[in-house]
Amino acid sequence: MQETETKPIRILGISGSPRNMATDYLVQEALKIAKEKYGAETDYFSSKGKKLNFCIHCDFCIRKKEGCIHKDDIAVELYDKMIWADAWIIGTPVYQGTVSAQTKTIMDRCRAVVAKDPKVFLNKAGMGIADGGDRIGGQEPAIQTILNFYVINEMIPVGGGSFGANLGGTFWSKDKGAEGVSEDSEGMRSLRRTLKKLIQTAQLVKRAASAEVPQTPVPETPKEEANRQ
Protein backbone atom coordinates (compact mmCIF):
# COMPACT_ATOMS: atom_id res chain seq x y z
CA MET A 1 0.00 0.00 0.00
CA GLN A 2 1.31 3.39 -0.92
CA GLU A 3 1.99 5.81 1.89
CA THR A 4 -0.49 8.43 0.65
CA GLU A 5 -3.34 5.91 0.86
CA THR A 6 -2.96 5.84 4.64
CA LYS A 7 -3.24 9.59 4.99
CA PRO A 8 -6.73 10.82 5.88
CA ILE A 9 -8.71 12.96 3.50
CA ARG A 10 -8.80 16.62 4.57
CA ILE A 11 -12.24 18.18 4.33
CA LEU A 12 -13.22 21.82 4.74
CA GLY A 13 -16.79 22.68 5.62
CA ILE A 14 -18.08 26.17 4.81
CA SER A 15 -21.38 27.51 6.11
CA GLY A 16 -22.62 30.40 4.02
CA SER A 17 -25.30 31.36 6.51
CA PRO A 18 -25.30 34.51 8.66
CA ARG A 19 -26.85 32.43 11.47
CA ASN A 20 -25.88 29.34 13.46
CA MET A 21 -29.01 27.39 12.63
CA ALA A 22 -29.91 24.85 9.92
CA THR A 23 -26.97 25.33 7.54
CA ASP A 24 -24.44 25.48 10.35
CA TYR A 25 -25.88 22.26 11.80
CA LEU A 26 -25.80 20.44 8.45
CA VAL A 27 -22.24 21.34 7.51
CA GLN A 28 -20.98 20.41 10.96
CA GLU A 29 -22.98 17.17 10.86
CA ALA A 30 -21.38 16.29 7.52
CA LEU A 31 -17.93 16.96 8.99
CA LYS A 32 -18.78 14.84 12.02
CA ILE A 33 -19.77 11.90 9.82
CA ALA A 34 -16.65 12.36 7.67
CA LYS A 35 -14.46 12.26 10.77
CA GLU A 36 -16.17 9.44 12.64
CA LYS A 37 -17.04 7.13 9.73
CA TYR A 38 -14.26 7.85 7.25
CA GLY A 39 -11.41 9.05 9.46
CA ALA A 40 -11.17 12.41 7.70
CA GLU A 41 -9.38 15.44 9.06
CA THR A 42 -11.78 18.37 9.13
CA ASP A 43 -11.87 22.14 9.43
CA TYR A 44 -14.74 24.58 9.44
CA PHE A 45 -15.58 28.15 8.51
CA SER A 46 -18.84 29.87 9.43
CA SER A 47 -19.99 33.13 7.88
CA LYS A 48 -21.78 34.14 11.06
CA GLY A 49 -20.37 37.33 12.51
CA LYS A 50 -17.57 37.49 9.93
CA LYS A 51 -16.43 40.46 7.88
CA LEU A 52 -16.93 39.39 4.27
CA ASN A 53 -16.22 42.10 1.72
CA PHE A 54 -17.68 41.84 -1.76
CA CYS A 55 -15.40 41.38 -4.75
CA ILE A 56 -15.22 44.84 -6.33
CA HIS A 57 -13.43 43.69 -9.52
CA CYS A 58 -10.54 46.05 -8.88
CA ASP A 59 -8.13 43.53 -10.49
CA PHE A 60 -5.60 43.97 -7.69
CA CYS A 61 -5.31 40.17 -7.55
CA ILE A 62 -4.63 39.99 -11.29
CA ARG A 63 -2.07 42.78 -11.36
CA LYS A 64 -0.21 41.97 -8.14
CA LYS A 65 -0.75 38.21 -7.81
CA GLU A 66 -0.50 38.69 -4.06
CA GLY A 67 -4.03 37.66 -3.08
CA CYS A 68 -6.98 39.95 -2.45
CA ILE A 69 -6.96 43.67 -1.74
CA HIS A 70 -9.46 43.02 1.08
CA LYS A 71 -7.85 41.84 4.31
CA ASP A 72 -11.05 40.62 5.90
CA ASP A 73 -11.99 37.29 7.48
CA ILE A 74 -12.02 35.52 4.11
CA ALA A 75 -8.40 36.49 3.47
CA VAL A 76 -7.22 35.99 7.05
CA GLU A 77 -9.09 32.79 7.94
CA LEU A 78 -10.48 31.03 4.90
CA TYR A 79 -7.97 31.08 2.05
CA ASP A 80 -5.42 28.88 3.83
CA LYS A 81 -8.12 26.39 4.81
CA MET A 82 -9.24 26.17 1.17
CA ILE A 83 -5.72 25.39 0.01
CA TRP A 84 -5.19 22.86 2.82
CA ALA A 85 -8.28 20.79 2.08
CA ASP A 86 -8.58 17.90 -0.38
CA ALA A 87 -12.34 18.36 -0.52
CA TRP A 88 -14.89 21.05 0.29
CA ILE A 89 -18.44 21.04 1.56
CA ILE A 90 -20.24 24.32 0.91
CA GLY A 91 -23.58 24.73 2.62
CA THR A 92 -26.04 27.53 1.98
CA PRO A 93 -29.51 28.55 3.05
CA VAL A 94 -31.82 29.25 0.14
CA TYR A 95 -32.45 32.98 -0.32
CA GLN A 96 -34.70 34.04 -3.19
CA GLY A 97 -34.30 30.66 -4.88
CA THR A 98 -30.51 30.52 -4.84
CA VAL A 99 -27.43 30.83 -2.61
CA SER A 100 -27.10 33.37 0.19
CA ALA A 101 -25.15 36.60 -0.29
CA GLN A 102 -22.51 35.28 2.11
CA THR A 103 -22.02 32.11 0.06
CA LYS A 104 -21.80 34.06 -3.19
CA THR A 105 -19.29 36.49 -1.68
CA ILE A 106 -17.03 33.64 -0.57
CA MET A 107 -17.13 32.06 -4.03
CA ASP A 108 -16.52 35.39 -5.80
CA ARG A 109 -13.52 36.14 -3.61
CA CYS A 110 -11.78 32.91 -4.62
CA ARG A 111 -10.76 34.75 -7.78
CA ALA A 112 -7.86 36.25 -5.83
CA VAL A 113 -6.48 32.84 -4.84
CA VAL A 114 -6.74 31.50 -8.39
CA ALA A 115 -5.14 34.65 -9.82
CA LYS A 116 -2.10 33.97 -7.65
CA ASP A 117 -1.96 30.27 -8.62
CA PRO A 118 -4.33 29.18 -11.43
CA LYS A 119 -4.08 25.50 -10.46
CA VAL A 120 -4.43 25.98 -6.70
CA PHE A 121 -7.82 24.21 -6.54
CA LEU A 122 -7.18 21.74 -9.37
CA ASN A 123 -8.89 18.36 -8.74
CA LYS A 124 -10.10 19.15 -5.25
CA ALA A 125 -13.50 17.50 -4.83
CA GLY A 126 -16.53 19.52 -3.78
CA MET A 127 -20.16 18.98 -2.78
CA GLY A 128 -23.04 21.25 -1.90
CA ILE A 129 -25.75 21.35 0.74
CA ALA A 130 -28.81 23.61 0.58
CA ASP A 131 -31.69 24.03 3.00
CA GLY A 132 -34.89 26.00 2.69
CA GLY A 133 -38.08 26.71 4.57
CA ASP A 134 -40.11 25.19 1.71
CA ARG A 135 -39.66 21.65 0.42
CA ILE A 136 -39.17 22.97 -3.11
CA GLY A 137 -37.82 26.46 -2.58
CA GLY A 138 -34.65 26.60 -4.68
CA GLN A 139 -32.42 23.99 -3.08
CA GLU A 140 -31.31 22.42 -6.35
CA PRO A 141 -30.66 25.73 -8.17
CA ALA A 142 -28.59 26.78 -5.13
CA ILE A 143 -26.54 23.59 -5.29
CA GLN A 144 -26.12 23.99 -9.05
CA THR A 145 -24.58 27.41 -8.40
CA ILE A 146 -22.09 25.79 -6.02
CA LEU A 147 -21.29 22.98 -8.46
CA ASN A 148 -20.80 25.50 -11.29
CA PHE A 149 -18.32 27.32 -9.06
CA TYR A 150 -16.37 24.07 -8.63
CA VAL A 151 -16.27 23.49 -12.39
CA ILE A 152 -15.02 27.01 -13.11
CA ASN A 153 -12.17 26.57 -10.62
CA GLU A 154 -11.13 23.16 -12.04
CA MET A 155 -12.41 21.25 -9.04
CA ILE A 156 -14.42 18.03 -9.25
CA PRO A 157 -18.12 18.58 -8.49
CA VAL A 158 -19.74 15.66 -6.71
CA GLY A 159 -23.45 14.87 -6.52
CA GLY A 160 -25.24 12.11 -4.67
CA GLY A 161 -26.34 10.09 -7.69
CA SER A 162 -29.75 9.11 -9.00
CA PHE A 163 -32.75 8.02 -6.93
CA GLY A 164 -32.71 10.19 -3.87
CA ALA A 165 -29.64 12.44 -3.74
CA ASN A 166 -29.10 13.78 -7.25
CA LEU A 167 -27.17 17.07 -7.05
CA GLY A 168 -26.32 17.00 -3.35
CA GLY A 169 -27.74 17.36 0.13
CA THR A 170 -31.17 19.03 -0.08
CA PHE A 171 -33.14 19.83 3.07
CA TRP A 172 -36.52 21.11 4.14
CA SER A 173 -36.17 22.99 7.41
CA LYS A 174 -39.84 23.97 7.74
CA ASP A 175 -38.36 27.17 9.20
CA LYS A 176 -37.46 25.24 12.35
CA GLY A 177 -33.68 25.60 12.06
CA ALA A 178 -31.48 22.70 13.12
CA GLU A 179 -34.44 20.83 14.55
CA GLY A 180 -36.23 20.96 11.22
CA VAL A 181 -33.38 19.68 9.08
CA SER A 182 -32.38 17.00 11.58
CA GLU A 183 -35.90 15.58 11.26
CA ASP A 184 -35.74 15.51 7.44
CA SER A 185 -34.85 11.84 6.90
CA GLU A 186 -34.75 12.16 3.10
CA GLY A 187 -32.44 15.13 3.39
CA MET A 188 -30.10 13.25 5.72
CA ARG A 189 -30.04 10.35 3.28
CA SER A 190 -29.08 12.71 0.46
CA LEU A 191 -26.30 14.17 2.61
CA ARG A 192 -24.85 10.77 3.53
CA ARG A 193 -24.91 9.53 -0.05
CA THR A 194 -23.26 12.67 -1.38
CA LEU A 195 -20.66 12.69 1.38
CA LYS A 196 -19.74 9.08 0.63
CA LYS A 197 -19.16 9.97 -3.03
CA LEU A 198 -17.12 13.01 -1.99
CA ILE A 199 -14.82 10.84 0.14
CA GLN A 200 -14.48 8.24 -2.62
CA THR A 201 -13.66 10.89 -5.21
CA ALA A 202 -11.06 12.58 -3.01
CA GLN A 203 -9.45 9.20 -2.29
CA LEU A 204 -9.27 8.36 -5.99
CA VAL A 205 -7.64 11.71 -6.73
CA LYS A 206 -5.02 11.18 -4.02
CA ARG A 207 -4.20 7.71 -5.28
CA ALA A 208 -3.93 8.94 -8.86
CA ALA A 209 -1.70 11.84 -7.81
CA SER A 210 0.64 9.50 -5.93
CA ALA A 211 1.02 7.03 -8.80
CA GLU A 212 4.30 7.27 -10.66
CA VAL A 213 3.53 7.89 -14.30
CA PRO A 214 6.55 7.36 -16.61
CA GLN A 215 7.26 10.32 -18.81
CA THR A 216 7.51 9.41 -22.48
CA PRO A 217 9.88 11.75 -24.31
CA VAL A 218 8.31 13.60 -27.22
CA PRO A 219 10.40 13.10 -30.39
CA GLU A 220 11.83 16.23 -31.94
CA THR A 221 10.74 17.39 -35.33
CA PRO A 222 13.50 17.72 -37.98
CA LYS A 223 13.30 21.51 -37.63
CA GLU A 224 13.71 21.36 -33.82
CA GLU A 225 16.64 18.98 -34.17
CA ALA A 226 18.32 21.26 -36.73
CA ASN A 227 17.84 24.31 -34.48
CA ARG A 228 19.34 22.46 -31.52
CA GLN A 229 22.43 21.59 -33.56
Side-chain angles (χ1 to χ4, degrees):
M1 182 180 292
Q2 296 179 1
E3 182 184 353
T4 53
E5 292 182 334
T6 65
K7 293 182 179 179
I9 297 299
R10 298 178 296 193
I11 302 180
L12 170 64
I14 300 171
S15 170
S17 173
R19 306 188 297 173
N20 286 343
M21 295 187 71
T23 307
D24 170 76
Y25 170 83
L26 291 172
V27 176
Q28 297 221 53
E29 182 68 13
L31 293 176
K32 179 182 176 183
I33 296 168
K35 185 175 182 178
E36 293 180 354
K37 185 172 182 178
Y38 300 103
E41 292 181 12
T42 63
D43 207 341
Y44 179 66
F45 179 87
S46 170
S47 298
K48 183 179 185 297
K50 300 296 173 61
K51 184 174 178 58
L52 312 174
N53 291 326
F54 299 127
C55 174
I56 56 174
H57 211 299
C58 63
D59 281 343
F60 173 90
C61 61
I62 302 293
R63 289 182 283 104
K64 298 292 187 178
K65 302 191 186 305
E66 297 173 358
C68 188
I69 195 168
H70 296 307
K71 305 307 177 188
D72 59 358
D73 291 324
I74 294 176
V76 173
E77 296 184 32
L78 187 54
Y79 285 156
D80 286 344
K81 295 177 189 286
M82 289 175 160
I83 295 168
W84 165 86
D86 300 309
W88 299 5
I89 301 169
I90 297 179
T92 183
V94 175
Y95 289 173
Q96 299 297 314
T98 186
V99 298
S100 68
Q102 289 80 8
T103 304
K104 186 62 166 61
T105 298
I106 288 169
M107 294 191 296
D108 288 347
R109 290 280 304 285
C110 284
R111 183 174 188 256
V113 189
V114 177
K116 187 176 180 181
D117 178 1
K119 301 298 181 182
V120 67
F121 300 143
L122 179 67
N123 291 336
K124 293 180 185 291
M127 64 173 277
I129 300 171
D131 60 270
D134 294 324
R135 166 54 78 187
I136 304 174
Q139 286 89 331
E140 289 201 337
I143 292 177
Q144 283 180 314
T145 299
I146 294 170
L147 299 183
N148 288 342
F149 161 79
Y150 292 145
V151 171
I152 290 168
N153 289 281
E154 299 189 77
M155 297 173 67
I156 302 173
V158 175
S162 302
F163 307 109
N166 298 316
L167 296 179
T170 57
F171 286 84
W172 181 19
S173 71
K174 301 181 181 179
D175 286 329
K176 292 164 58 180
E179 179 187 354
V181 293
S182 67
E183 293 173 351
D184 183 359
S185 59
E186 287 301 310
M188 292 306 300
R189 187 166 73 93
S190 70
L191 184 148
R192 291 178 180 274
R193 287 187 58 181
T194 309
L195 181 61
K196 180 179 179 180
K197 290 182 178 293
L198 181 78
I199 296 286
Q200 291 173 336
T201 302
Q203 289 173 336
L204 284 171
V205 171
K206 287 196 95 170
R207 285 197 290 269
S210 67
E212 293 185 5
V213 180
Q215 298 295 317
T216 304
V218 179
E220 291 181 324
T221 64
K223 183 178 180 181
E224 289 172 334
E225 185 176 359
N227 290 337
R228 180 171 56 79
Q229 294 172 350

